[in-house]
Amino acid sequence: MKFSEYAYHRPDYEAFKKEMQRLIQSFKNAKSSVEQYACFEQIMTQQRHLSTMATLSSIRFSINTLDPFYVQENEYWDQQMPLYQQLNHEFQQALLQSPYLEELKQQIPAVYFQLLEYSMKSFDPSIIEELQEENRLTSEYSKLIAQAEVEFDGKTYNLPQLKALTLHNDREFRKRAYDTRMSYFTEHETEFDTIYDQLVHVRDRMAKKMGYENYVELGYYRMNRLDYDETMVANYRKQILEEIVPIANQLYQRQQKRLGYDTLHYYDESFEFTDGNAKPQGSYEEILANGNQMYHELSKETGEFFDYMMEHELLDLVAKKGKDSGGYCTYIEDYQSPFIFSNFNGTSGDIDVLTHEAGHAFQSYQSRWISIPDLNFPTMESCEIHSMSMEFITWPWMELFFKDQADKYRFSHLSSAITFLPYGVLVDHFQHEVYHHVEWDAQQRKACWRTLEKQYLPHKNYEGCDLLERGGWWFQQGHIFASPFYYIDYTLAQVCALQFFKRFDQKDPTAWPDYLHLCQLGGTKSFTELVKEANLTVPFTDGCIHEIATYIANWLNQVDDTKL
């Protein structure tokens, strides 16, 4: 079956509820762990089917946010998902109270029970109304971004398309394109501020209802931070500030020198070379064909995976009207199918999608053996190791996509991995401040962002753009709205991916087997356990950031970037 043939139907909540309650009661009445495990498997089947319907609806809505059928279905899931979550909560309570719990732990990965405990700490029926409101508000943000139509030089663009124009070789054109794009955020500033203000307060209410002092603690439970806490994260941010920010600043100085500018302005940052950034060569079809060749040459496993994705039409990659922004990978349980979504726009980011999102998809394809939906993907920071590492593992094939600009791409790609880290921890630090200061108004939040920006990104020069100078850059960062605290994850994974980069760069023969093993484990272990299984150093470890920063800085310093 192809993706278009995957059947969607809206579940009947009352029928699902009746069946779940019957199974939960059977679970409670079971006379042995064997009987309980049989009930457990039946409940997992129910959950896989529910997940399949929710995921199909979500994918098809994101492909076309103007489709009236899936607009309605999206609204249904926004309203009903917390009610389905409540049923799952009832089952989790029964499982954790089972007299056969220790025997069940011999059959079910231990991390699943950790996730259950965190689920119990992050959900209560009393917050269903707030969860529904949160869903409604995040959908409102998505629509505000996805349905943007901006006029520029007589043509209409959506935001991803306009972003591609900000890489133009002509500096004045680039500035106009960037300012035009930012004008959308300025015109809708009140809407963005209002949506976020309401989100902050609804999340704070959730936390207070559940007995937490503020949303930070609840947010960590919701993000399944199984083996690290706020203090460890703060210390990690400090290491990034001390070890990475100076290297990033040097890279921006090299960029300014390469371009021959007196000052690097906000509209120059993404433009790295005088003759333009490395761009993929060839049509969409040729890029996919090159991807096919790359994954077949990389390994037997990746070749089989990519054939599956192509045969089942599990990639939707081209930007079009009404399509949601960004890119993602998800997993359709009943069909054991990963799905990749993105918005190709003719930049190197298109190839990053083909490697990054394919890293996620390859992991879920490798861990299809896992029958528990909560364990198909690991926790968020662990997920990103597979994707970010795949970006580097595929380096030897970049000539297929970039021809004689491949070295330029590689230098830019590795540089961006370093310059991303300070930004990533800035997003995290900002959210900690916001949820510790719920009383702040929109102006105070923007002021906080700008203060932190000067700390982590001191090179920023926003002269000429009022919204950015006032601290409004984060309007563009969807995670801040839709997935609070989901961002430090990318930086932790980046540090792990850079360790894989080092190992592949040094021709370590164990690097690929370790990566494959990591993918096959799926979500059956916690973040630090997975990192150790892959023979990597946990990023929180003192000295880890210094070691990898030194290696990457030396690699970059050996490249004469003025000749790329």
Side-chain angles (χ1 to χ4, degrees):
M1 292 178 69
K2 300 186 188 304
F3 173 72
S4 59
E5 299 168 325
Y6 289 6
Y8 171 79
H9 60 84
R10 180 189 290 187
D12 181 329
Y13 172 72
E14 291 303 327
F16 183 88
K17 178 181 178 181
K18 185 177 179 181
E19 178 62 9
M20 276 293 287
Q21 288 178 336
R22 182 189 72 78
L23 287 169
I24 292 168
Q25 195 57 49
S26 295
F27 182 89
K28 289 177 177 178
N29 295 339
K31 302 301 182 188
S32 68
S33 63
V34 174
E35 285 185 29
Q36 279 202 333
Y37 188 72
C39 288
F40 174 83
E41 288 192 312
Q42 291 180 64
I43 289 170
M44 290 302 102
T45 300
Q46 292 289 314
Q47 291 188 349
R48 285 195 297 273
H49 186 64
L50 184 72
S51 170
T52 298
M53 294 305 110
T55 301
L56 285 173
S57 173
S58 175
I59 292 170
R60 288 172 178 159
F61 174 68
S62 63
I63 289 172
N64 183 6
T65 62
L66 302 174
D67 183 321
F69 177 80
Y70 283 106
V71 166
Q72 284 190 333
E73 294 310 292
N74 189 62
E75 290 170 356
Y76 167 81
W77 288 104
D78 280 353
Q79 284 295 309
Q80 291 297 120
M81 189 54 85
L83 300 178
Y84 286 114
Q85 192 176 352
Q86 183 177 0
L87 291 171
N88 191 41
H89 185 73
E90 289 175 21
F91 163 65
Q92 291 168 348
Q93 285 179 312
L95 178 56
L96 290 174
Q97 293 166 7
S98 166
Y100 310 110
L101 186 59
E102 292 309 312
E103 293 171 56
L104 290 171
K105 284 183 177 180
Q106 302 303 309
Q107 297 174 275
I108 302 167
V111 71
Y112 180 69
F113 294 95
Q114 284 182 276
L115 292 170
L116 289 196
E117 289 171 15
Y118 273 47
S119 176
M120 302 298 286
K121 291 176 178 178
S122 61
F123 177 82
D124 187 271
S126 67
I127 65 168
I128 284 179
E129 194 175 307
E130 282 79 12
L131 289 168
Q132 290 171 329
E133 179 66 1
E134 182 185 37
N135 288 341
R136 185 190 68 78
L137 289 165
T138 55
S139 290
E140 200 174 314
Y141 171 80
S142 292
K143 284 188 278 189
L144 193 56
I145 293 290
Q147 296 176 12
E149 292 188 346
V150 183
E151 295 292 322
F152 180 73
D153 282 0
K155 294 182 180 179
T156 302
Y157 297 89
N158 63 24
L159 294 178
Q161 291 168 336
L162 200 53
K163 189 173 184 179
L165 299 183
T166 66
L167 301 178
H168 198 279
N169 290 24
D170 182 88
R171 198 180 193 191
E172 185 56 35
F173 181 94
R174 205 161 62 236
K175 182 182 186 305
R176 286 195 303 107
Y178 203 116
D179 288 346
T180 301
R181 187 173 186 274
M182 289 312 302
S183 70
Y184 180 80
F185 293 94
T186 301
E187 287 165 15
H188 296 273
E189 181 174 1
T190 301
E191 291 167 78
F192 284 111
D193 277 330
T194 300
I195 291 170
Y196 191 59
D197 186 73
Q198 291 175 351
L199 281 167
V200 169
H201 283 93
V202 79
R203 287 165 181 156
D204 188 63
R205 284 202 305 277
M206 283 184 212
K208 300 276 173 59
K209 273 191 175 184
M210 294 188 68
Y212 299 113
E213 184 180 348
N214 55 48
Y215 182 75
V216 177
E217 189 175 2
L218 175 57
Y220 270 56
Y221 287 134
R222 291 181 83 188
M223 285 301 301
N224 291 316
R225 303 273 156 85
L226 301 178
D227 40 17
Y228 58 98
D229 58 24
E230 187 179 358
T231 303
M232 294 166 72
V233 168
N235 182 57
Y236 168 76
R237 289 199 305 258
K238 182 173 178 286
Q239 291 184 67
I240 296 291
L241 184 63
E242 293 171 352
E243 299 285 350
I244 301 294
V245 170
I247 299 172
N249 286 340
Q250 289 171 8
L251 287 168
Y252 285 118
Q253 288 166 9
R254 289 173 72 175
Q255 178 183 355
Q256 182 181 324
K257 185 178 178 182
R258 277 198 311 274
L259 296 175
Y261 296 160
D262 292 334
T263 305
L264 200 67
H265 285 277
Y266 61 93
Y267 48 84
D268 297 321
E269 279 184 35
S270 298
F271 182 73
E272 300 182 63
F273 299 90
T274 53
D275 59 346
N277 295 357
K279 286 186 178 181
Q281 309 294 307
S283 65
Y284 167 73
E285 290 76 16
E286 288 169 327
I287 288 173
L288 277 188
N290 288 333
N292 183 60
Q293 179 182 337
M294 173 176 73
Y295 283 119
H296 275 83
E297 292 177 0
L298 172 57
S299 75
K300 170 179 166 290
E301 295 85 0
T302 49
E304 176 192 289
F305 149 75
F306 202 73
D307 284 346
Y308 181 87
M309 298 295 288
M310 293 291 287
E311 287 166 12
H312 295 268
E313 297 179 354
L314 295 164
L315 305 102
D316 192 295
L317 308 178
V318 179
K320 49 185 175 279
K321 183 178 179 179
K323 190 173 181 181
D324 203 355
S325 62
Y328 63 77
C329 168
T330 189
Y331 185 70
I332 308 165
E333 298 280 351
D334 282 351
Y335 299 94
Q336 294 188 311
S337 295
F339 186 91
I340 296 175
F341 170 98
S342 79
N343 286 271
F344 271 25
N345 59 11
T347 69
S348 62
D350 297 349
I351 310 307
D352 294 338
V353 163
L354 205 57
T355 56
H356 180 100
E357 301 303 343
H360 287 306
F362 179 66
Q363 174 266 301
S364 61
Y365 185 81
Q366 284 297 310
S367 54
R368 289 176 300 163
W369 62 273
I370 300 169
S371 61
I372 301 173
D374 289 335
L375 302 185
N376 286 127
F377 286 114
T379 51
M380 294 300 190
E381 68 292 282
S382 306
C383 276
E384 299 301 335
I385 302 175
H386 315 108
S387 55
M388 290 180 158
S389 297
M390 184 63 87
E391 292 179 32
F392 291 118
I393 291 168
T394 52
W395 262 28
W397 288 270
M398 287 304 105
E399 272 77 9
L400 288 174
F401 304 100
F402 295 100
K403 310 301 185 214
D404 60 352
Q405 297 181 52
D407 283 339
K408 180 192 282 189
Y409 169 78
R410 283 186 272 258
F411 177 82
S412 177
H413 182 207
L414 189 56
S415 297
S416 67
I418 290 295
T419 56
F420 167 73
L421 290 173
Y423 173 74
V425 297
L426 158 63
V427 171
D428 180 73
H429 197 159
F430 172 68
Q431 293 184 90
H432 278 84
E433 294 296 330
V434 165
Y435 289 105
H436 275 301
H437 300 91
V438 189
E439 73 282 0
W440 280 353
D441 61 20
Q443 186 178 344
Q444 288 170 304
R445 290 188 195 111
K446 292 194 193 81
C448 171
W449 174 272
R450 192 67 186 103
T451 298
L452 292 173
E453 214 170 24
K454 289 174 181 177
Q455 182 180 353
Y456 291 105
L457 307 171
H459 69 283
K460 289 281 188 182
N461 183 337
Y462 290 142
E463 183 184 349
C465 186
D466 177 63
L467 179 61
L468 295 180
E469 189 58 68
R470 289 188 286 111
W473 203 101
W474 57 274
F475 283 179
Q476 305 168 83
Q477 192 59 66
H479 300 70
I480 292 175
F481 289 81
S483 307
F485 293 114
Y486 179 18
Y487 217 73
I488 197 77
D489 314 71
Y490 289 110
T491 74
L492 293 168
Q494 188 70 276
V495 170
C496 293
L498 289 171
Q499 292 180 62
F500 265 127
F501 165 79
K502 179 183 176 183
R503 291 173 64 183
F504 278 93
D505 190 51
Q506 294 178 328
K507 312 298 184 194
D508 178 353
T510 66
W512 175 255
D514 278 347
Y515 176 79
L516 184 59
H517 175 59
L518 181 69
C519 290
Q520 291 166 342
L521 287 170
T524 58
K525 293 184 181 294
S526 70
F527 170 61
T528 59
E529 289 172 334
L530 287 170
V531 172
K532 291 171 184 174
E533 285 275 349
N535 292 310
L536 304 174
T537 303
V538 176
F540 299 114
T541 307
D542 286 340
C544 173
I545 305 299
H546 174 77
E547 182 180 344
I548 197 62
T550 302
Y551 187 87
I552 302 301
N554 287 339
W555 195 99
L556 291 168
N557 286 337
Q558 290 171 20
V559 177
D560 184 353
D561 51 305
T562 62
K563 295 181 179 177
L564 293 176

